[in-house]
Amino acid sequence: MIEQSMMQQPLDDGFPRRDFLFIATGTVAAAGTALAVWPLIHSMNPAADILAVSKTEVDLGPIEVGQRITVVWRGKPIFVDHRSPERIAQARADDKAELIDPQLDSERVQKDEWLIVIGICTHLGCIPLGQRTGDSRGDYGGWFCPCHGSHYDTSGRIRKGPAPKNLVIPPYTFTKNTTIKIG
Amino acid sequence: MSHSTKEFSNPVIRWIEYRLPIFSFIDSSVGTGYPTPRNLNYWWNFGSLAGVVLVIMILTGVMLAANYTANVGYAFESVERIMRDVNYGWLLRYLHSNGSSMFFIIVYIHMFRGLYFGSYKAPRELLWILGVFIILAMMATAFMGYVLPWGQMSFWGATVITNLFSAIPLIGESIVTWLWGGFSVANPTLNRFFAWHYLLPFILFALVFIHLWALHVHKSNNPLGIDAKGAGDMIPFHPYYTIKDTFGMGVFMIIYLSFVFFAPDFFGEPDNYIKANPMVTPPEIVPEWYFLPFYAILRAITFNIFFIPAKLIGVIAMFSSILILLFLPWLDRCKVRSARFRPLYKQFFWIFVLDTLILGYVGANPPQGLFIPIGQAATAYYFAHFLIIIPLLGVLEKTKPLPESISAAVTESGTSGKENG
């Protein structure tokens, strides 16, 4: 190609220049297309108003020992469990059990009596049972997901069933002794 | 697509034809100018039947959309309004919801027809592959459509299915958030599903058009699975198959409308008449019946393989169960198309049909007790059928002798290409 062009045309106006222009134009076109597609893709990500309502405050004061409540954060249920000493003891004893997703109970709580987890099964997103009195709590005294049969223990760790991970701990801080801010 | 040399007598048609040869195009596609094997049986009705249902779905869907509100505050109520207040709204909705079930029955029969008579083999591989894309587009459309009434099954079905993508390593969670447009299935999700549910049928329509384009190059396969050798093996599509397809459509309409008028909720889930509640999961989440075999495959994987988690393998297995069909034309090395001349394949075909029914049954039941091992065995057999049995049969099976020609096989005195000129 290059030799041919040198025979037919002056050196400074040969194909190398055309090749350069061709590649440069092509690169700009490809990059431009990619940049133009990004707004289309990104428009599907959470919008500003959805991101804005992403913090929730919870007053833990009225929750009795042994009681569980559900609060909503980012459209997801958050399980707040005021654990009794027996359940804390059970969770600590289970640290030594064979765990699917090994994690110590102490790594999953900020204060021993308050277990706060996202109430969504890590398998396919169902809401496990165990929040209401009379609900099945599974084989390990925590929660039981009826969709595909995952059992969670008193620390919200997966013990049996298809779920791969422990119930997720949301980011939260104790703003006062009995108040948390999730998010 | 070859155009017939048909002459038209009507001057208006001639005027148009000279400028846009649309009438000869129609004639060579579904008219007297389209030669069709003379021996097609009723299993060949289901392609055109699927086309009819697609048109019904688009028509009823467009009318429903005019009365539907894609907002979590109004979606459920707007569907109830369609049922109670909109003139013939109940009819449109039941035609549409039962139409989806009919669509899948028809297309599944159409696919099994292709499997039995070897319609996927050369030179119809692309025709078959386009069909696989059509069923994928149908599944996506049906899934999103089921979300729109915003009942409990709508919501939780959407949650479970979109969560499948969270199994993808590293980027899975971001993909799910992106699909949802938020941190759970919520208003943005419903909104976009409505938009896509309206869009996809038109993509489906385009795919069907290309599917037919490919079909018309080498024409229909036939129950004997042998190539047509001459004009004696063929008859014109019109009037022979237009009338046969119309008759089949009549029979189909009796069945379809029996459901619409007498058992409109037969295929539905009672839980979907409860408005979606993101805080309460129904006791059992069951997909629509046409997804049950795939749901069973998804749930069959309860064990990790090395470092790959069970959840990811389940998702891969479920998608593979459909995508494996793309490779079928090359997995099957047997040159004989029709199962009529493949005594072994014929038996394995029916075992495979049974296997998919077992998978469907397992998918409808909670994953406990015997259903787990049965589901796992049926899943293993599903893949073994494509990856072991079919390739082996291609090498080992002794096929029966093929007839000399279609006309020789279906007429007493027939010899190909001699009669009917």
Side-chain angles (χ1 to χ4, degrees):
Chain A
M1 291 285 275
I2 293 167
E3 277 180 11
Q4 204 180 14
S5 75
M6 290 202 305
M7 285 188 288
Q8 287 168 353
Q9 294 178 1
L11 255 176
D12 58 347
D13 196 27
F15 271 118
R17 197 179 117 123
R18 287 197 176 192
D19 285 351
F20 171 77
L21 287 173
F22 179 75
I23 293 165
T25 319
T27 310
V28 170
T33 307
L35 284 171
V37 166
W38 175 244
L40 301 181
I41 295 172
H42 196 45
S43 73
M44 279 172 62
N45 271 320
D49 61 331
I50 290 162
L51 292 171
V53 286
S54 58
K55 286 189 195 302
T56 303
E57 239 178 49
V58 187
D59 180 12
L60 303 176
I63 309 170
E64 307 274 342
V65 175
Q67 198 186 354
R68 289 172 172 180
I69 67 153
T70 307
V71 296
V72 181
W73 171 67
R74 288 182 165 180
K76 299 175 185 187
I78 302 294
F79 291 170
V80 179
D81 183 8
H82 194 170
R83 300 194 295 183
S84 60
E86 302 87 73
R87 269 197 246 150
I88 298 169
Q90 198 188 331
R92 291 292 148 97
D94 284 349
D95 281 351
K96 296 176 195 75
E98 198 179 313
L99 297 169
I100 294 168
D101 179 16
Q103 209 176 12
L104 294 175
D105 181 59
S106 55
E107 295 168 352
R108 296 179 52 79
V109 291
Q110 293 183 16
K111 293 185 179 179
D112 285 354
E113 63 271 35
W114 295 108
L115 175 67
I116 291 145
V117 292
I118 299 178
I120 293 179
C121 181
T122 56
H123 182 225
L124 291 173
C126 295
I127 297 180
L129 298 174
Q131 285 298 94
R132 280 188 256 182
T133 42
D135 276 359
S136 165
R137 291 187 170 185
D139 295 352
Y140 300 89
W143 289 270
F144 170 69
C145 183
C147 293
H148 306 99
S150 293
H151 299 253
Y152 296 91
D153 68 11
T154 51
S155 189
R157 290 173 296 203
I158 178 67
R159 301 296 295 274
K160 199 168 105 178
K165 297 274 176 199
N166 300 331
L167 290 179
V168 176
I169 310 289
Y172 67 92
T173 46
F174 276 89
T175 49
K176 277 182 237 151
N177 210 17
T178 57
T179 311
I180 54 165
K181 190 158 89 179
I182 308 169
Chain B
M1 275 177 257
S2 62
H3 288 209
S4 63
T5 51
K6 196 173 169 72
E7 288 292 319
F8 297 95
S9 53
N10 184 314
V12 178
I13 288 180
R14 287 169 78 104
W15 188 90
I16 296 170
E17 178 70 19
Y18 184 67
R19 286 150 184 88
L20 177 73
I22 189 167
F23 295 101
S24 57
F25 175 73
I26 292 170
D27 186 64
S28 66
S29 301
V30 290
T32 53
Y34 180 57
T36 318
R38 62 189 290 172
N39 60 333
L40 299 188
N41 58 29
Y42 276 109
W43 296 113
W44 264 261
N45 276 55
F46 290 86
S48 72
L49 217 43
V52 169
V53 177
L54 177 60
V55 171
I56 293 174
M57 293 302 276
I58 290 178
L59 282 178
T60 52
V62 167
M63 302 324 282
L64 285 168
N67 281 294
Y68 172 78
T69 310
N71 180 293
V72 293
Y74 305 99
F76 187 83
E77 284 78 0
S78 74
V79 172
E80 284 309 303
R81 185 180 158 270
I82 287 171
M83 293 299 288
R84 290 149 200 263
D85 295 341
V86 174
N87 300 329
Y88 288 113
W90 58 271
L91 180 63
L92 292 172
R93 173 157 183 258
Y94 281 148
L95 282 172
H96 199 73
S97 61
N98 286 285
S100 70
S101 282
M102 294 299 131
F103 206 175
F104 276 96
I105 292 174
I106 288 167
V107 169
Y108 284 153
I109 293 174
H110 187 63
M111 291 166 75
F112 278 120
R113 195 283 319 273
L115 290 176
Y116 187 86
F117 293 107
S119 302
Y120 51 85
K121 294 187 187 185
R124 298 185 183 84
E125 303 96 320
L126 262 183
L127 174 62
W128 173 260
I129 287 169
L130 285 161
V132 177
F133 288 134
I134 288 173
I135 187 75
L136 286 171
M138 270 178 69
M139 287 174 157
T141 311
F143 160 67
M144 288 183 204
Y146 194 61
V147 177
L148 303 184
W150 207 240
Q152 272 290 66
M153 279 298 167
S154 300
F155 181 89
W156 289 102
T159 299
V160 169
I161 300 300
T162 48
N163 261 309
L164 293 178
F165 293 93
S166 71
I168 301 167
L170 303 175
I171 54 166
E173 293 295 336
S174 311
I175 289 178
V176 174
T177 305
W178 178 71
L179 282 173
W180 286 339
F183 303 102
S184 58
V185 173
N187 199 52
T189 325
L190 178 63
N191 231 305
R192 61 188 58 182
F193 276 17
F194 179 52
W196 297 339
H197 182 69
Y198 206 114
L199 166 73
L200 269 172
F202 297 98
I203 292 173
L204 198 54
F205 206 88
L207 284 171
V208 169
F209 187 84
I210 304 170
H211 189 64
L212 288 178
W213 188 1
L215 171 71
H216 284 222
V217 176
H218 292 286
K219 315 286 189 284
S220 291
N221 183 31
N222 64 83
L224 295 170
I226 56 175
D227 291 325
K229 293 201 177 75
D233 289 346
M234 311 293 266
I235 46 175
F237 189 82
H238 181 73
Y240 294 100
Y241 289 110
T242 42
I243 205 73
K244 191 167 181 169
D245 281 350
T246 309
F247 174 71
M249 196 176 84
V251 174
F252 163 71
M253 281 296 171
I254 293 172
I255 299 167
Y256 175 29
L257 296 179
S258 299
F259 280 112
V260 169
F261 290 123
F262 301 111
D265 287 313
F266 179 82
F267 296 106
E269 281 292 325
D271 271 18
N272 223 30
Y273 282 102
I274 303 168
K275 192 176 173 178
N277 182 351
M279 293 298 128
V280 180
T281 308
E284 208 190 314
I285 298 176
V286 187
E288 289 283 84
W289 69 265
Y290 38 79
F291 291 137
L292 288 175
F294 307 104
Y295 196 52
I297 291 173
L298 169 75
R299 298 192 301 186
I301 314 295
T302 53
F303 43 85
N304 301 347
I305 299 179
F306 303 118
F307 57 92
I308 312 169
K311 179 172 155 183
L312 179 59
I313 303 167
V315 173
I316 292 171
M318 188 184 72
F319 283 109
S320 305
S321 66
I322 301 169
L323 296 179
I324 201 167
L325 294 172
L326 293 171
F327 303 98
L328 181 59
W330 296 277
L331 289 168
D332 188 350
R333 309 302 301 172
C334 182
K335 292 272 179 267
V336 175
R337 293 194 190 102
S338 174
R340 286 192 183 172
F341 306 104
R342 301 185 63 188
L344 285 175
Y345 174 72
K346 187 191 251 179
Q347 295 173 36
F348 281 110
F349 169 84
W350 287 111
I351 298 173
F352 178 71
V353 173
L354 184 68
D355 187 63
T356 56
L357 294 176
I358 292 171
L359 280 171
Y361 183 68
V362 170
N365 283 283
Q368 44 191 248
L370 263 182
F371 289 117
I372 295 172
I374 293 173
Q376 290 173 336
T379 300
Y381 187 83
Y382 183 97
F383 287 103
H385 178 82
F386 290 108
L387 296 174
I388 299 170
I389 294 169
I390 281 187
L392 277 182
L393 285 180
V395 183
L396 301 176
E397 186 175 27
K398 191 167 166 10
T399 56
K400 290 186 191 169
L402 293 172
E404 183 199 332
S405 69
I406 293 174
S407 64
V410 298
T411 61
E412 275 176 38
S413 59
T415 47
S416 72
K418 298 272 164 65
E419 81 241 67
N420 296 343

